Amino acid sequence: MKPAFLFYILRGAQAMMWLIQLMTGVMTLALAAKTYDLATTQQTEVRLRLDTFRPNLFGFWHDTQAGFEDGQRSKSREQRGPLAALPPTAGFELAADPHAPLLRYREPSAGKRAALLALGALDDGLSIAGLVFLGGSSWLLLGLLRDVTSDTPFTAANGRRLLWLALLLFGLNLWRYVAYALVWAVVPAYRAAGLAGPLSHYVRLNTDELVPGFEVGFILLIIAAVYQRGVALSREAELVI
């Protein structure tokens, strides 16, 4: 690859990281404005997106238990159909697409409404974890791209940035469990027919698809280790020369 072509690729990637940084700043202001609106408005309805096919916590154990029970019966269980939409009853409503129902209810506490927004539980694209991921990852990648040159492809600073990026992913994935536990505590224990647990156990955070899983963090750890080895080899080559 020609150096000039590589230069333009790096510059384009840096511009994209700066754009994500700008977008993160705008979204931070929007989150602050939305939080203020939730705290002061008379509108008390909250809307939470659900996935009623799998609990939000301990989903792995849920799937394992289901497989074990299927093995005991020597046949697969019948797949439950989508949850039917329900009219307002007992203080809540299941609305919108039955395949991805929307839980709607009145939450008089402004603090709880703001907490659901910050956690990313509301049917909204804003959350603190999402902003931390976008802002932190783009800043680390921006620094990495700025340090990469044809003369010094490996630097110790970039090795540390890759390590910090892996730790960021690990931290956000661990935070996801804490966030869902908080959702369980904040959302009332509404129940619907056909579900083993309360509806709060099926709320989905809007960061579930945004933040990569643990496996990406492990891959970044391996890349960081290889990168550090590249730095060491580069230094050894300089000493030999």
Side-chain angles (χ1 to χ4, degrees):
M1 183 179 295
K2 295 182 179 180
F5 186 62
L6 178 62
F7 172 82
Y8 287 120
I9 290 179
L10 292 175
R11 285 293 181 268
Q14 289 179 37
M16 183 176 295
M17 293 303 105
W18 278 117
L19 181 61
I20 294 176
Q21 284 283 305
L22 177 62
M23 182 177 65
T24 303
V26 173
M27 292 176 65
T28 301
L29 294 176
L31 179 63
K34 182 74 172 180
T35 302
Y36 177 79
D37 184 59
L38 287 174
T40 58
T41 185
Q42 299 299 319
Q43 178 66 30
T44 60
E45 182 184 83
V46 294
R47 300 157 58 93
L48 290 76
R49 183 70 60 182
L50 305 178
D51 179 359
T52 57
F53 289 95
R54 192 169 186 258
N56 47 31
L57 275 181
F58 313 116
F60 172 78
W61 299 111
H62 172 270
D63 295 342
T64 302
Q65 181 182 9
F68 179 74
E69 293 175 355
D70 290 347
Q72 285 186 319
R73 292 196 303 265
S74 300
K75 66 177 183 178
S76 299
R77 66 179 62 188
E78 293 183 3
Q79 183 72 13
R80 178 180 60 78
L83 194 66
L86 298 176
T89 178
F92 74 94
E93 178 186 4
L94 290 177
D97 182 2
H99 291 274
L102 198 66
L103 170 62
R104 294 164 45 171
Y105 67 95
R106 299 286 178 180
E107 177 52 72
S109 171
K112 289 184 178 181
R113 296 196 302 269
L116 290 172
L117 173 65
L119 292 171
L122 295 188
D123 184 30
D124 196 298
L126 300 172
S127 68
I128 291 179
L131 295 177
V132 169
F133 171 70
L134 289 175
S137 61
S138 61
W139 182 256
L140 291 170
L141 290 174
L142 178 62
L144 187 148
L145 292 168
R146 294 175 67 179
D147 274 5
V148 172
T149 63
S150 57
D151 296 329
T152 57
F154 298 102
T155 64
N158 277 349
R160 290 192 296 271
R161 290 187 180 101
L162 288 172
L163 177 60
W164 277 112
L165 186 57
L167 294 176
L168 175 65
L169 293 184
F170 284 132
L172 289 175
N173 275 275
L174 290 174
W175 167 250
R176 181 179 298 161
Y177 292 96
V178 177
Y180 275 130
L182 293 174
V183 168
W184 286 22
V186 171
V187 178
Y190 298 127
R191 289 185 174 272
L195 295 179
L199 292 174
S200 59
H201 291 196
Y202 300 90
V203 173
R204 294 298 168 187
L205 301 181
N206 55 33
T207 53
D208 282 357
E209 297 180 358
L210 174 65
V211 179
F214 283 106
E215 62 279 2
V216 178
F218 282 114
I219 292 173
L220 285 173
L221 281 180
I222 295 173
I223 295 175
V226 173
Y227 207 96
Q228 292 287 5
R229 181 55 181 165
V231 172
L233 291 175
S234 297
R235 290 178 176 175
E236 291 176 4
E238 291 175 359
L239 292 174
V240 170
I241 295 175

